[in-house]
Amino acid sequence: GAVAQVQREFEDVFYSNWAPPVGLGEELQCVVTFAVNPSGRVEKVEIVQPSGVLAYDMSIKTTLWKVKAPARLWGKQATIT
């Protein structure tokens, strides 16, 4: 549906800007929820399922604060895995 498409668009933006910490395995996973303000900036980032490696989790949060969300997410909440 439309929600899944917007989620994929955001994930494409996120993953094209994110560089996981060197040396950490691809098996790590972190679930993060966040809000997108009316100008497309991510805010209120909350790690709901940490990976267990702080550097990994913080790299995700830092990237989220840097990227601009697709317009269809502005003013909404989302989750990224």
Side-chain angles (χ1 to χ4, degrees):
V3 172
Q5 182 180 357
V6 172
Q7 183 78 18
R8 281 191 302 275
E9 285 177 30
F10 182 79
E11 288 176 358
D12 288 346
V13 170
F14 173 81
Y15 286 115
S16 67
N17 286 277
W18 179 56
V22 175
L24 294 180
E26 292 183 15
E27 72 280 354
L28 291 176
Q29 186 172 346
C30 176
V31 179
V32 181
T33 62
F34 56 91
V36 179
N37 71 22
S39 63
R41 292 290 167 202
V42 172
E43 54 187 29
K44 299 179 184 172
V45 176
E46 181 183 350
I47 296 174
V48 292
Q49 182 183 333
S51 68
V53 178
L54 183 60
Y56 183 87
D57 297 352
M58 292 308 298
S59 72
I60 292 171
K61 287 180 84 168
T62 301
T63 302
L64 284 170
W65 289 323
K66 290 179 183 177
V67 299
K68 188 165 185 178
R72 291 187 288 173
L73 270 181
W74 295 8
K76 296 187 171 57
Q77 291 196 356
T79 301
I80 193 167
T81 303

